[in-house]
Amino acid sequence: MTTSWTVLRVLRDRNAGLYLAAVVVSGFGNSALFLASGVWVKDLTGSDGLAALCMLAMWAPTVAGPLLGTIADRVRRAPLLVGLNAGLAVLLLTLCTVRSAGGLWLLFAVLLAYGAAEVVHDAAESALVTAAVGAERLGDFNGLRMAVTEGMKLVAPLTGAGLYTAFGGPAVACLDAVTFAVAAVLYALLRVREEPPARSGSTWREETVEGVRHLWGHPRLRPLVRAGGATMLLASLSSTTLYAVVDRLGHSPAYTGVLYAVQGAGSVTAGLLSGAALRRLGPRRFAAAGIVLTALSVAARAVPSDAVALAASLAGGLGLPCVLVAAFTAVQRETPGPLLGRATATAGTLVFTPNVIGLGAGAGLIELASPVLLLPLYSVALLVTAASLAQRADSAARTAARSPSDANPT
């Protein structure tokens, strides 16, 4: 396969097309429920705190990613994906019984189980797609996956909000259940020759540690995953300033929807361009370039101008996906198949857990200081992260370019 592999060629691949279709339908339902669940809790209780717990319930299982990802290495992944999506479809239907604040325990329990299933799902999908699509197409596929996921975020929340307003929370849960049922069918149609998982005789804990050790001990993966976690932390810290930024611009809070839409358009564009950029620059330089773009967008938010704010949102949407696509594509390429579920889930924990931490810390910091002070600090930290990653890339390139006698004079 040549480097001229395009989006059209990815879509012509049967397995890639089925994967992306599954991502579209399940992502649509996921984004719709993500918004509607908080609104649902707010309407039933009037509590902002309980509404915010919906997001925490869905994100919390990410912390247990290494343990949950081990499941994806212990069983065949294609049947696991079918079972997970079918199980989620049934589970979400139980939310149709939630009619009052007394049923919130069920909503939170389902959201927690939903989040845990998504961690296992992502690990299994990442592992299986490597075999189904091929290592040479992973950059293009992951970029396109990012594009369609972000594209769903532009339309699904509005659909979920409209459906909730018209028919209530159970209707949104039913919509999500249908999308997961459709995804289960699409995964069942995949044609992937998958070997049964080898039984090592190790305990669950030992297998989990093996995946963590591989990821953290790998000289090419560790810097990318570490940079991804740092970027997500700083990006989430900066995101907590958004309402203060909008207030400085003289707009109502609803204006954040415009900025999010522009950012989403940037992310879709980044996903479409990621495959070619990844081949041209390599994973570390590609990630570093995205972090620099993110840093510039964060700093620009401190400027009280509508035009600059819109440009900053677009730049942020273009930059942030780069480090994610680079890191997770590298994990897929550099990890042996039997370890891939654990390694992917561990990478997800290290990259996305800082996002939750940043949201909590940033909410406190914005109460203490102006975004004019905070945003430049976050931007400088992002530039330092990018410089460190780019320096490692240059060092690795120089080492690779040396002759064997240079590397070992004896």
Side-chain angles (χ1 to χ4, degrees):
M1 186 60 59
T2 68
T3 57
S4 63
W5 185 269
T6 63
V7 169
L8 182 60
R9 289 178 180 175
V10 172
L11 293 175
R12 284 176 178 171
D13 182 275
R14 183 179 184 276
N15 283 330
L18 287 170
Y19 262 113
L20 290 172
V23 168
V24 168
V25 294
S26 62
F28 185 91
N30 182 47
S31 295
L33 184 67
F34 190 79
L35 172 68
S37 60
V39 179
W40 196 355
V41 171
K42 172 70 173 177
D43 282 348
L44 290 176
T45 67
S47 170
D48 292 328
L50 287 175
L53 283 180
C54 292
M55 182 184 297
L56 178 61
M58 296 179 74
W59 275 100
T62 306
V63 178
L67 283 169
L68 293 171
T70 303
I71 298 173
D73 290 335
R74 284 187 156 224
V75 299
R76 291 176 61 223
R77 286 133 181 180
L80 177 61
L81 287 172
V82 174
L84 281 171
N85 282 276
L88 284 173
V90 174
L91 183 65
L92 286 162
L93 290 176
T94 65
L95 294 181
C96 294
T97 63
V98 178
R99 302 288 180 179
S100 67
L104 285 185
W105 69 269
L106 176 60
L107 175 59
F108 284 116
V110 168
L111 291 178
L112 192 64
Y114 187 102
E118 283 294 291
V119 173
V120 180
H121 183 282
D122 288 348
E125 183 187 71
S126 178
L128 189 62
V129 77
T130 305
V133 176
E136 71 279 3
R137 308 175 195 172
L138 282 175
D140 296 280
F141 177 83
N142 288 335
L144 192 53
R145 186 184 191 279
M146 175 72 71
V148 298
T149 300
E150 293 300 319
M152 285 301 99
K153 291 179 182 178
L154 296 177
V155 295
L158 293 176
T159 303
L163 191 62
Y164 177 86
T165 301
F167 302 106
V172 182
C174 288
L175 169 67
D176 207 7
V178 169
T179 63
F180 277 108
V182 173
V185 173
L186 292 170
Y187 282 121
L189 293 174
L190 288 172
R191 295 173 183 170
V192 183
R193 185 168 296 176
E194 191 179 4
E195 296 294 330
R199 294 295 182 184
S200 63
S202 302
T203 65
W204 193 294
R205 178 182 177 279
E206 290 170 339
E207 290 185 2
T208 300
V209 170
E210 186 182 7
V212 174
R213 186 183 295 120
H214 164 78
L215 182 71
W216 199 246
H218 199 292
R220 289 185 292 276
L221 298 182
R222 185 175 63 250
L224 280 168
V225 172
R226 190 162 53 195
T231 302
M232 291 301 293
L233 172 65
L234 293 162
S236 62
L237 284 169
S238 70
S239 71
T240 60
T241 68
L242 187 58
Y243 288 102
V245 168
V246 169
D247 187 57
R248 291 183 72 234
L249 293 174
H251 295 293
S252 71
Y255 189 71
T256 57
V258 176
L259 298 181
Y260 276 129
V262 174
Q263 181 175 326
S267 295
V268 171
T269 303
L272 295 174
L273 300 176
S274 287
L278 193 55
R279 283 192 296 272
R280 184 175 183 84
L281 298 175
R284 292 191 189 180
R285 288 195 181 93
F286 177 55
I291 298 171
V292 169
L293 200 54
T294 303
L296 295 176
S297 76
V298 168
R301 283 185 176 178
V303 179
S305 162
D306 281 345
V308 174
L310 291 170
S313 294
L314 182 63
L318 286 167
L320 192 56
C322 298
V323 66
L324 301 179
V325 171
F328 285 100
T329 300
V331 170
Q332 289 172 307
R333 286 175 172 167
E334 301 281 349
T335 303
L339 285 173
L340 196 45
R342 285 162 279 176
T344 298
T346 300
T349 296
L350 295 174
V351 170
F352 293 118
T353 299
N355 183 57
V356 181
I357 297 171
L359 289 171
L365 289 171
I366 194 60
E367 295 293 332
L368 302 175
S370 165
V372 178
L373 172 64
L374 294 173
L375 289 169
L377 293 176
Y378 299 152
S379 178
V380 169
L382 282 164
L383 290 174
V384 170
T385 301
S388 175
L389 192 60
Q391 185 178 25
R392 288 177 178 272
D394 290 338
S395 176
R398 288 193 298 269
T399 300
R402 291 190 314 191
S403 68
S405 60
D406 290 332
N408 184 8
T410 60

